[in-house]
Amino acid sequence: MAEPESAEYQGRRRAPVPALRGTVLVAGGIGVAVLVLLSLVVIVLTAPQKPRVPAVGQPAAPPTPTAPDGSSPAGRSPTAARPSPSLSPSRSPSRSPSPAPSAPTSQPPALPPPLQPVSYEAEASGNVLFHGARVAPMGGASGAAGVYALGAPNGGMLVFGGIAGGGGGRYTVTVYFQNPDRADRAGRMTVNGGAPVTLRYPSTGPASVASTSVGVVLTAGTGNTIVLDNLDSRAADVDRIVVAPS
């Protein structure tokens, strides 16, 4: 039977126990610190990367487009994309100021052109015949016809309408007539309802035409009328009249 150890011996055997416990605690603290450090490293590595902010004054590089299969188009292109040259703003050519338009000079009103001689046939459909005056063939007449039976005994009358007077003024009216008698015949001419003018018709024979002229005043435009007749005796047969500026 073994003898119990003395109190001095037991104290020497139990002295190392506190040192062992300190060692265990230090090792545990180191292990915890290592675990915390590893956790921080894992957090940093797995955290999403933030996009880099370009420096002030420099444009950000555009993102590289990716193809549907995940590859970059730049990788498949034989040549790298070249940036297009910058176009400098073109300067528009300078324009000299256009001269101011000159004020239009006042022009005097245009005067109507001078009236050329105009012929009016006695047998024209626009004329008016009164009191037995009639159209019949006439030898030597311009239109191979004329107006007969002017003046007595029935008071035949021939009215020319629509006579052109241009701008108005003095004109000469020439009457082309035929008088088959050996003696002269007389007649009247009335212009625009004014005082009648007496005409003398010398003998022409049955197949000839002669003329006589008289000065008249016409109004502007084409509303003038000329009447040939005779109240006291038979007037000459009329082929036509010609109106011309005096």
Side-chain angles (χ1 to χ4, degrees):
M1 180 175 181
E3 295 181 358
E5 295 179 357
S6 63
E8 183 181 359
Y9 179 78
Q10 292 178 353
R12 290 197 301 264
R13 293 281 304 268
R14 294 177 180 177
V17 174
L20 180 60
R21 289 180 179 178
T23 302
V24 172
L25 291 176
V26 171
I30 294 173
V32 171
V34 170
L35 289 177
V36 171
L37 182 61
L38 290 178
S39 298
L40 292 176
V41 171
V42 171
I43 290 173
V44 171
L45 293 177
T46 57
Q49 298 293 329
K50 294 183 179 180
R52 295 182 178 181
V53 180
V56 177
Q58 297 182 355
T64 303
T66 57
D69 56 357
S71 61
S72 173
R76 294 181 299 174
S77 174
T79 58
R82 297 178 180 179
S84 58
S86 60
L87 300 177
S88 60
S90 59
R91 297 181 179 179
S92 58
S94 60
R95 296 181 179 179
S96 58
S98 58
S102 58
T105 58
S106 59
Q107 298 291 339
L111 298 176
L115 180 66
Q116 300 298 321
V118 180
S119 177
Y120 299 89
E121 294 290 336
E123 69 274 13
S125 60
N127 298 333
V128 180
L129 304 177
F130 290 101
H131 310 299
R134 68 185 188 277
V135 175
M138 178 181 293
S142 59
V147 174
Y148 292 81
L150 296 178
N154 298 322
M157 183 183 298
L158 169 60
V159 180
F160 292 90
I163 303 299
R170 295 192 61 83
Y171 287 83
T172 298
V173 178
T174 301
V175 181
Y176 290 81
F177 65 92
Q178 186 177 90
N179 176 13
D181 298 341
R182 292 183 179 182
D184 294 349
R185 291 185 181 181
R188 297 191 315 173
M189 176 186 292
T190 304
V191 178
N192 295 331
V197 177
T198 301
L199 301 177
R200 187 177 69 86
Y201 300 115
S203 176
T204 61
S208 298
V209 172
S211 65
T212 183
S213 300
V214 61
V216 300
V217 176
L218 300 179
T219 59
T222 58
N224 297 279
T225 60
I226 295 178
V227 179
L228 297 178
D229 63 352
N230 194 9
L231 297 179
D232 301 328
S233 62
R234 191 178 184 95
D237 305 322
V238 178
D239 170 23
R240 63 187 172 116
I241 63 173
V242 175
V243 180
S246 296

